[in-house]
Amino acid sequence: MRRLLILLPPLAWLLLLVAAPLLIIGLIAFAEAGPGVPPFIPPFGWAGGPVWRGSTESIGTLLGETYYLEAFLRSLLTAFVTAALCLLLAYPMALGIAGARPSWRLPLLLLVLLPFWAGFLPRLGAWIGLLRDGGWANGVLGLAGIGPLRLLYSNLALYLGMVHAYLPFAVLPLATALLRRDRSLEEAAADLGATPFTVFRSVTLPLSLPAAASAFLLVFIPAAGEFVIPELLGPPEAQLVGRVLWGEFFQNRDWPLAAALALAMLVLLLPPILLFQRLGRRG
Amino acid sequence: MRHFALIAALLLAPALAQAQTVLNVYNWTDYIDPDVVQRFQQETGIRIRYDVYDSLETLEGKLSAGRSGYDLVVPTSEPSFARLVRAGALRPLDRARIPNWRNLDTGLMERAGRADPGNAHGAIYLWGTVGLGLRLDRIRAIAPDLALDGLDLLLKPENARRLAGCGLAVMDSATDVLPSVLRWLGRDPDSADAGDLRAAEAALLAIRPQLRGIPGSGALLDMLATGEICVALAYSGDVIQAAARAREAGRGVEIGYVAPAAGPHLFFDMLAIPADAPNPDAAHAFIDFLLRPEVIAAVSSHVRYPNAVPASRPLIAAPVREDSNVYPPDAVLAHGFVPGTPGPQAERLRSRLWSRFRAGR
């Protein structure tokens, strides 16, 4: 009984803020789009008794048109590349922070976090200013006799923006884990004759794998649904799921299809999440 | 913050109603003369709570969810106003409470009536055309021989290839681009015919490799003003505002607007009252106030969009009044067309077409 009482708040939270909205999204996904306020016909009606008048048209559209499948694949690929790049950049940064003198650690961590204090959109605006045809990057390249290159609205700009926005998410868990690691294990390996590289490969790296997995996930999950950065920096063909969903909801006012897309995204993201969680635990 | 203000407004509404009437206005960004709002408040004692959107999607998203709390909105005739009328989201206007209705241009109102039979739900606030925003200084340098008078400049692949180096863009709006493309092809702008739509898609895909971007209207205005692009299919008012911004920046970027001589797509921004508006009385009073010639003249002078009150014309600031981009010549206007409202099936075909065009295949 007491256990139930303790569990009640988190259960209520889950029911109210996770299960209920999901159920509503699920119901909308099976509704039929049509003019009205809100712009769909609810899948349940009342005509002397409850009547089911839902439609699987949205699910059919989703599965039937390659446009959506391509958007999903592109999103997963973009998220994967972003997360991998973030991990590659964040690891040496985290190692450096963990290895720095204690009085330096906090300032270094703050430097990683500092960009968060400036708004997200002004930072993207700064990238646009840097990368545009007459921008600073092309100005510098021009001095070297190169260009002007098309930097803005390209995959390069897209990944610059994505990595810039998500890098702190990868640095923080890695830095925390590397700070807490047991240095005596590395000292023991070194005492037994391992070279610094072997120490890193056979001790430090395996110890930090769970943190690396969670760093990867922390970037991968939000990056898969990102739609602002591809829209502002990426090429027009960068039709990621976030953008496609936005378009269905706002431009086509097709709430059922948007809801179906959201559910499909959830289903598609679950396997990688479970996989990485397992990886993290095993490490 | 905006939402907070709205919630606060809803919570406080009953208390304030006794003390002071509040009118919640939801309009496009940079789309009114602030002095006009001030004057209305002084004259009537009604307090205006003014809120803005920068895309029709935002407006429709809020109104589609219901109970938006707004008393007056300004949807564009096609597609939003027409869809809101169809969805029953707007309240029929009581003309007895809008004596200044008689000031409206009957010809323009008749054209706006395509979206709203009998003009039951809206009065024209301001209007404009869809055409090309051009960076004149660069185009003159690259292709001095090109005629700057129509969509050939963008939609003929050989022209697009010549100008691609300095940047081409098409605004991201199936509803506001496809009618112009269909018209350029010599087809019915409202066509739901699969063959016509395939032709439009082919025309768009032919220039797709040359496009620098397919941005929203706000981003497009920015790209034009900074000189990032040379040719853009866009709303007249956006281009005119971009031109003003480029002049202010003083970096030698010269922007001009051209409405297709063969007949531009006309759009109307309508004053309308949501069906569930908390204070329709005040909204009627504000519409009537806006339709006074001297009031709407001040708005046009300020935002550089034409209005539909002919008596206001002499009162508008001369540079705006005489700008043929703001008020297109009668001949261009006569050829102009107002698109109809495609049915849900046609709309779906068009939005799929647009998705393929965006993705570039």
Side-chain angles (χ1 to χ4, degrees):
Chain A
M1 193 59 210
R2 245 177 74 192
R3 236 173 86 186
L4 201 73
L5 273 176
I6 294 167
L7 273 175
L8 209 58
L11 264 179
W13 172 277
L14 274 176
L15 269 176
L16 258 159
L17 297 175
V18 181
L22 261 179
L23 186 73
I24 293 170
I25 292 175
L27 281 177
I28 295 177
F30 285 98
E32 202 177 325
V37 178
F40 62 84
I41 302 152
F44 284 110
W46 192 267
V51 188
W52 171 258
R53 52 167 187 227
S55 139
T56 52
E57 199 195 327
S58 299
I59 313 280
T61 312
L62 204 62
L63 298 175
E65 295 206 20
T66 53
Y67 171 65
Y68 298 106
L69 185 69
E70 278 171 32
F72 277 120
L73 292 179
R74 217 178 231 283
S75 299
L76 292 180
L77 178 74
T78 308
F80 184 85
V81 172
T82 304
L85 287 174
C86 280
L87 206 57
L88 274 177
L89 276 171
Y91 202 94
M93 283 170 74
L95 210 55
I97 291 170
R101 264 184 288 157
S103 58
W104 274 85
R105 282 178 198 153
L106 192 65
L108 284 174
L109 269 177
L110 273 180
L111 278 179
V112 174
L113 285 177
L114 216 54
F116 271 134
W117 296 2
F120 173 65
L121 286 175
R123 284 186 287 137
L124 285 185
W127 277 115
I128 294 176
L130 282 171
L131 297 172
R132 65 173 35 148
D133 280 5
W136 286 39
N138 267 315
V140 173
L141 286 173
L143 289 179
I146 310 168
L149 299 178
R150 280 197 173 185
L151 301 173
L152 196 54
Y153 312 121
S154 66
N155 278 317
L156 176 77
L158 170 64
Y159 284 117
L160 269 175
M162 294 287 273
V163 170
H164 163 98
Y166 288 110
L167 191 60
F169 292 107
V171 175
L172 288 180
L174 278 171
T176 328
L178 287 171
L179 265 171
R180 285 213 206 106
R181 75 188 195 269
D182 188 351
R183 305 286 173 108
S184 56
L185 292 173
E186 287 167 16
E187 283 159 18
D191 285 348
L192 293 171
T195 60
F197 178 72
T198 315
V199 171
F200 174 77
R201 193 175 50 85
S202 57
V203 181
T204 316
L205 192 63
L207 277 178
S208 62
L209 264 187
S214 62
F216 188 92
L217 266 192
L218 276 175
V219 176
F220 183 83
I221 295 170
E226 178 64 50
F227 78 97
V228 177
I229 300 173
E231 182 73 359
L232 289 180
L233 299 177
E237 62 269 21
Q239 293 285 306
L240 306 192
V241 163
R243 175 64 182 76
V244 171
L245 201 155
W246 186 92
E248 292 300 346
F249 189 87
F250 283 105
Q251 290 181 319
N252 299 341
R253 294 159 327 285
D254 194 335
W255 288 20
L257 189 51
L261 270 165
L263 285 184
M265 192 68 189
L266 196 70
V267 171
L268 267 177
L269 274 181
L270 272 178
I273 292 174
L274 291 177
L275 185 80
F276 270 89
Q277 250 189 354
R278 266 200 145 157
L279 226 109
R281 215 176 291 143
R282 207 192 53 198
Chain B
M1 200 52 222
R2 195 153 82 180
H3 296 283
F4 177 75
L6 189 66
I7 291 164
L10 290 173
L11 290 175
L12 295 175
L16 282 169
Q18 292 159 3
Q20 190 183 29
T21 318
V22 174
L23 173 69
N24 290 297
V25 176
Y26 199 32
N27 194 359
W28 286 91
T29 49
D30 307 314
Y31 213 44
I32 201 161
D33 178 357
D35 292 343
V36 163
V37 175
Q38 208 52 47
R39 225 181 106 188
F40 179 76
Q41 297 190 119
Q42 273 162 8
E43 250 181 50
T44 59
I46 296 171
R47 201 159 72 78
I48 291 184
R49 199 179 280 117
Y50 196 83
D51 194 3
V52 296
Y53 51 87
D54 70 347
S55 78
L56 288 172
E57 285 79 19
T58 316
L59 169 69
E60 274 191 81
K62 276 200 186 174
L63 291 184
S64 298
R67 279 186 287 281
S68 62
Y70 294 111
D71 298 305
L72 186 80
V73 292
V74 192
T76 301
S77 61
E78 288 295 341
S80 299
F81 177 64
R83 280 199 294 248
L84 291 169
V85 168
R86 256 192 323 198
L90 298 177
R91 183 191 182 94
L93 298 180
D94 179 1
R95 291 209 198 149
R97 284 192 280 175
I98 312 175
N100 285 324
W101 190 279
R102 62 171 186 272
N103 296 343
L104 285 162
D105 184 310
T106 46
L108 288 173
M109 282 301 283
E110 203 174 295
R111 293 183 128 175
R114 269 204 82 173
D116 177 26
N119 296 119
H121 299 87
I124 298 175
Y125 176 51
L126 301 172
W127 56 278
T129 56
V130 173
L132 293 179
L134 303 173
R135 185 172 170 189
L136 299 170
D137 53 321
R138 288 289 299 278
I139 294 175
R140 271 198 296 263
I142 296 173
D145 55 304
L146 283 182
L148 306 181
D149 65 347
L151 295 180
D152 279 4
L153 205 57
L154 175 74
L155 292 176
K156 272 200 174 160
E158 62 267 28
N159 292 345
R161 271 194 297 275
R162 280 180 74 184
L163 294 170
C166 76
L168 309 176
V170 169
M171 65 175 157
D172 184 15
S173 169
T175 33
D176 288 334
V177 170
L178 283 178
S180 292
V181 174
L182 284 164
R183 174 72 174 233
W184 178 76
L185 287 165
R187 320 237 175 172
D188 173 11
D190 298 334
S191 180
D193 173 63
D196 287 348
L197 290 177
R198 259 199 306 278
E201 182 174 357
L204 283 168
L205 281 177
I207 59 155
R208 178 67 182 74
Q210 272 73 46
L211 288 184
R212 194 64 196 281
I214 307 173
S217 79
L220 187 128
L221 202 162
D222 211 48
M223 288 165 90
L224 257 179
T226 53
E228 193 72 16
I229 45 176
C230 268
V231 182
L233 186 58
Y235 303 120
S236 53
D238 278 357
V239 178
I240 292 161
Q241 284 185 21
R245 250 204 244 170
R247 266 198 307 277
E248 280 158 28
R251 293 242 207 92
V253 174
E254 186 194 351
I255 303 293
Y257 176 75
V258 172
H265 167 171
L266 302 175
F267 64 83
F268 303 97
D269 287 327
M270 309 299 292
L271 297 165
I273 305 179
D276 53 5
N279 196 350
D281 294 341
H284 277 93
F286 193 49
I287 293 177
D288 188 54
F289 176 78
L290 284 173
L291 293 180
R292 285 188 207 166
E294 74 276 13
V295 170
I296 199 71
V299 173
S300 280
S301 302
H302 190 83
V303 304
R304 296 163 190 268
Y305 272 85
N307 62 60
V309 176
S312 77
R313 194 81 177 261
L315 308 171
I316 297 173
V320 176
R321 186 181 62 216
E322 284 153 18
D323 186 340
S324 65
N325 288 328
V326 177
Y327 278 101
D330 288 342
V332 172
L333 200 56
H335 288 127
F337 68 93
V338 182
T341 312
Q345 206 55 41
E347 213 175 323
R348 187 167 284 264
L349 273 179
R350 287 172 168 228
S351 75
R352 296 283 169 271
L353 182 167
W354 195 253
S355 305
R356 285 194 297 274
F357 164 60
R358 275 190 62 98
R361 64 192 139 236

